[in-house]
Amino acid sequence: MDGTARARSIPPHMAVYAEQHQVFHILQKMVENLLIDRPEDPIQYLIDHLKKDNDDVPRIVVLGPPASGKHTMAQLLYRRLNATRLTPEDLLSSDVSALVEEALAYKGKEQEIPDALWARIIQERLSQVDCTKRGWVLEGFPRTREQALLLQIQGISPDHVVVLDAPDIVLIERNIGKRIDPTTGEVYHVTFDWPEDPELQRKLVEPAGITEDETGKRLLEYHRNIPGILRAFPKKYKKINADQPCMDVFSQVLTFVLSKPRSLAPFTPRILLYGPPGSGRSLQAMLLAQKYDIVNVSCGQVLKEAVADQTKRGLLIEPYIEKQQQVPDNLVLRLLGERLSRLDCATQGWVLHGFPRDVEQAALLQDAGHIPNRVFFLDIPDDVAIERLSLRMTDPVSGERYHSLYRPAPRVEVHERLQQNPADAEQKVQARLDMYHAGAEELEEFYQDVVHVNADQDPYTVHEFIESCVIRPLPKRDPRGPPST
């Protein structure tokens, strides 16, 4: 027999481990840095990279026209994130290196510092321990597209680029009112941020280049350069309206920089649908499977197929099904485990319904390594469930299913021959509902990230809500505190 024709079984623990520990993300970062730095000893380089453990530190660039609040936002960010704040001026006044001395020589001759030299100075500073361990916030640089591209050549690629924006007339008014403390370098404003201390007021001086004409020239230069800069950072920048109260601006900036860049890691959905009888689990599973090409795994269908195929386990569970008794959990789990471990489930993902029904079954499923990454509880009132099930009947001739309220039989003769499934009798439905409620609370505690869905509405509305929760990342859990997005 050709071994390649058999259904291959893939250990479920592999996908769960890779997802929990972000293995793909780690490998992606390692390869990116390897290709940028191109070290002579790649193995030792990768070992050193893992020891640094700094893939998630902030790497932020704050840009904006004059008087847009770059300085204030950068200060608030580095304090909030405990990162290193850098400005072009600070880079030239920090510990002197050969590169800084070269730049100061240009400055002493009143010449422009070459862009390539700026990029090397920044790369040298960002390679120091405080930046690699705590991350960095770079303020007001790059100023041109050429500088942005040279930073990338040096392997400097921010995760977030904050672009502050405001009308020119507002920026000119702000700039004219600027005052600076020559001792500390703190910036104040005669209208918006004037200090109360009279002695400090007397110390403040008017900075150079804040007249209306000079501000207008700087704004014109900024508007000419910013489109090219942003093209160098596609999908990494966000424009934020700076013409609003400072803390409102900072709130939006902080929300943006705390957001994770979209991961390229493959996401394999493992969806569990749980709900009372009549909640529409089968329909929602079918809709998800059709749209996203994931495997629809119905516990009841798996058992029926095993019996129909006369497999060894199918022969074991056949007496239970014939007598309408509950199949032992160990037999159900073996069949489900085999189905969920097949290649299609491991590569495409799966949506499971009909199992587990209580916390004991959930624990067995988890011990077997089949851990869902989305758990939905489809909620409907008991009277709605009874109405949905007890009023449905089947035409024995055509096999069509009808409902007295939602889909009545089209003709009288069809209505007269309709038959009800004994399991849909009101008393039996109520008994199944009681069993559901007995295990629902413990199951919700077992699966901590349960998403409740109001299933008492149009099924396609329910599907859209489930779909939005499947494609949206779940919040990361911080063991030291509440979940943070």
Side-chain angles (χ1 to χ4, degrees):
M1 181 177 180
D2 183 5
T4 60
R6 295 179 301 196
R8 288 181 287 174
S9 176
I10 297 178
H13 304 279
M14 294 172 59
V16 174
Y17 179 87
E19 184 177 297
Q20 288 179 344
H21 296 278
Q22 297 184 319
V23 172
F24 185 92
H25 175 72
I26 294 172
L27 293 174
Q28 180 183 2
K29 281 290 185 181
M30 290 169 63
V31 172
E32 284 179 0
N33 286 284
L34 190 66
L35 294 176
I36 290 171
D37 295 338
R38 291 171 288 181
E40 293 183 3
D41 186 353
I43 300 301
Q44 187 59 47
Y45 174 87
L46 294 176
I47 293 172
D48 294 340
H49 175 84
L50 290 172
K51 287 180 178 179
K52 289 179 183 177
D53 189 26
N54 66 341
D55 284 341
D56 294 324
V57 299
R59 299 176 180 87
I60 304 167
V61 166
V62 180
L63 301 176
S68 59
K70 300 186 296 294
H71 179 80
T72 302
M73 288 302 113
Q75 279 193 321
L76 292 172
L77 278 175
Y78 94 85
R79 290 170 182 166
R80 173 67 172 78
L81 302 175
N82 192 31
T84 301
R85 173 174 164 264
L86 304 171
T87 67
E89 294 76 18
D90 292 338
L91 291 170
L92 298 183
S93 61
S94 58
D95 294 338
V96 177
S97 68
L99 294 175
V100 172
E101 288 182 352
E102 186 180 347
L104 290 175
Y106 280 99
K107 195 172 182 181
K109 297 175 184 177
E110 297 184 354
Q111 297 178 354
E112 286 287 332
I113 300 174
D115 292 341
L117 181 56
W118 269 123
R120 290 162 59 200
I121 290 172
I122 293 173
Q123 192 275 336
E124 180 183 58
R125 181 65 183 89
L126 295 184
S127 64
Q128 295 180 11
V129 175
D130 59 340
C131 292
T132 58
K133 285 293 184 183
R134 296 190 287 133
W136 45 268
V137 180
L138 179 59
E139 173 193 334
F141 197 93
R143 300 188 179 107
T144 65
R145 176 173 171 80
E146 290 72 21
Q147 291 176 346
L149 296 176
L150 285 168
L151 286 181
Q152 293 176 341
I153 291 173
Q154 292 294 329
I156 301 168
S157 179
D159 293 325
H160 299 88
V161 178
V162 177
V163 184
L164 303 175
D165 193 27
D168 286 358
I169 189 170
V170 173
L171 298 172
I172 292 173
E173 180 185 352
R174 284 185 183 180
N175 212 34
I176 291 174
K178 271 186 180 180
R179 299 294 183 271
I180 292 181
D181 182 348
T183 305
T184 63
E186 288 292 322
V187 180
Y188 298 89
H189 196 279
V190 295
T191 304
F192 307 115
D193 186 24
W194 192 242
E196 297 180 0
D197 185 357
E199 185 176 344
L200 178 57
Q201 292 177 11
R202 287 191 294 271
K203 288 171 55 180
L204 299 182
V205 298
E206 184 177 298
I210 67 167
T211 66
E212 186 171 344
D213 288 342
E214 290 171 316
T215 303
K217 290 179 181 177
R218 292 168 62 194
L219 285 171
L220 185 62
E221 182 181 1
Y222 171 81
H223 292 312
R224 184 171 64 248
N225 287 315
I226 191 63
I229 296 173
L230 298 185
R231 286 199 303 272
F233 301 110
K235 301 180 182 179
K236 290 189 176 183
Y237 72 87
K238 182 178 178 64
K239 289 187 176 182
I240 294 176
N241 178 21
D243 186 18
Q244 51 183 327
C246 175
M247 295 316 295
D248 291 346
V249 177
F250 179 63
S251 175
Q252 295 178 39
V253 170
L254 186 62
T255 300
F256 170 58
V257 301
L258 290 179
S259 65
K260 297 292 183 183
R262 184 174 180 83
S263 174
L264 298 177
F267 173 70
T268 305
R270 301 187 301 275
I271 304 169
L272 174 62
L273 298 180
Y274 182 72
S279 59
R281 293 167 299 172
S282 299
L283 175 59
Q284 296 304 325
M286 181 190 70
L287 293 174
L288 287 170
Q290 287 178 346
K291 182 161 187 178
Y292 291 102
D293 195 28
I294 58 181
V295 182
N296 183 358
V297 182
S298 166
C299 179
Q301 188 64 29
V302 169
L303 299 181
K304 291 177 183 176
E305 288 176 357
V307 173
D309 294 341
Q310 293 292 289
T311 63
K312 288 183 179 180
R313 293 194 179 95
L315 294 174
L316 290 174
I317 66 175
E318 186 174 10
Y320 295 97
I321 293 180
E322 288 179 350
K323 297 176 182 178
Q324 296 185 347
Q325 295 177 347
Q326 184 170 336
V327 181
D329 290 347
N330 62 330
L331 292 177
V332 176
L333 190 65
R334 288 179 183 176
L335 287 169
L336 276 180
E338 290 176 357
R339 183 66 191 90
L340 296 176
S341 297
R342 290 185 192 171
L343 184 62
D344 56 350
C345 286
T347 55
Q348 298 168 225
W350 46 261
V351 51
L352 172 64
H353 53 104
F355 191 94
R357 296 180 179 177
D358 53 45
V359 71
E360 288 79 14
Q361 292 180 345
L364 290 173
L365 189 67
Q366 179 166 291
D367 291 342
H370 302 290
I371 303 175
N373 49 26
R374 296 292 188 277
V375 179
F376 296 97
F377 275 38
L378 307 183
D379 300 329
I380 57 171
D382 284 4
D383 56 344
V384 173
I386 292 173
E387 180 183 273
R388 286 184 178 182
L389 297 181
S390 64
L391 297 181
R392 69 182 183 184
M393 295 186 180
T394 305
D395 181 358
V397 175
S398 64
E400 288 287 323
R401 180 178 289 178
Y402 298 95
H403 194 280
S404 300
L405 295 179
Y406 308 129
R407 193 191 178 204
R411 298 187 302 277
V412 175
E413 59 269 23
V414 175
H415 176 75
E416 291 177 348
R417 66 176 184 243
L418 295 181
Q419 297 179 0
Q420 184 186 50
N421 188 329
D424 290 342
E426 185 172 338
Q427 290 182 342
K428 291 191 176 182
V429 172
Q430 186 61 60
R432 290 158 61 194
L433 287 169
D434 293 340
M435 289 180 61
Y436 164 79
H437 292 303
E441 187 174 345
E442 289 184 338
L443 263 179
E444 184 173 1
E445 293 179 1
F446 184 85
Y447 293 114
Q448 297 181 355
D449 292 318
V450 165
V451 179
H452 284 273
V453 184
N454 176 19
D456 186 17
Q457 51 185 329
D458 179 78
Y460 291 96
T461 303
V462 176
H463 171 67
E464 288 177 1
F465 179 79
I466 294 175
E467 180 183 22
S468 69
C469 296
V470 170
I471 63 177
R472 186 177 62 233
L474 289 176
K476 289 184 67 175
R477 286 189 171 273
D478 186 348
R480 299 166 297 179
S484 59
T485 56

